[in-house]
Structures are given as C-alpha cells and as structure tokens.
Amino acid sequence: MTEKQMVIAGLAADGLTNKEIVERLYLSPHTVNYHLCKIFQAMSVRSRNELIRVVHEPSPPANPLPDTGLRCDEGLRRRGAA
C-alpha cells in the first residue's frame, strides 16, 4: 500500500467517515473512495468493520530465524554463489 493509503486506512479504522477523511486530507470524495477500494483489496477485507479489526489487531510476535552463526555472505560463498 502507498503511504497515503496507509494514512487513509488508519483514519477509517479510527472511525472517521469518508467526509471527515476528505476534510482532513484535502482530497476529493472520489479519491478517498478510490483509495479505500484499493485498501480493501490489499488487506482482503470487505467492510470498514473488517478493516478496523485488521488494523487494530495486535501483530503476532515475529518468528526469528535460527541463528546459524553465519554472516549473510558466508553461506553464499560456501555454495559457490559469491
């Protein structure tokens, strides 16, 4: 998503209406509708309620990769790629 789409998604998830987003960001209603359509597609949601749930849902903890002790380029050299 673009930076503007992330801003619009956040505002919509915070409960702002399209009209309030238009006024806050100085965009046309058509532009806000367009971005919301793209946001819904990118986030695989079909409603503002789903958008709110996805945006405000805590992220699962990252699963770190096991430490192999190798530097990033070491494994490539061992395989003959570097």
Side-chain angles (χ1 to χ4, degrees):
M1 286 193 328
T2 67
E3 187 175 329
K4 184 165 296 287
Q5 288 170 346
M6 291 186 341
V7 169
I8 291 171
L11 293 173
D14 286 343
L16 273 69
T17 65
N18 285 15
K19 184 178 180 183
E20 291 168 329
I21 295 170
V22 163
E23 292 168 356
R24 181 162 304 178
L25 300 181
Y26 305 104
L27 298 171
S28 76
H30 175 77
T31 300
V32 171
N33 286 332
Y34 173 81
H35 283 303
L36 282 170
C37 180
K38 292 298 183 182
I39 290 163
F40 281 26
Q41 289 174 349
M43 298 183 83
S44 300
V45 298
R46 289 178 282 171
S47 69
R48 272 180 132 83
N49 286 335
E50 285 184 59
L51 178 66
I52 291 166
R53 182 184 49 77
V54 170
V55 169
H56 291 295
E57 178 175 90
S59 303
N63 293 330
L65 296 175
D67 185 12
T68 62
L70 297 175
R71 292 189 346 252
C72 292
D73 60 347
E74 244 179 89
L76 293 175
R77 271 188 295 203
R78 285 188 179 176
R79 287 180 284 215

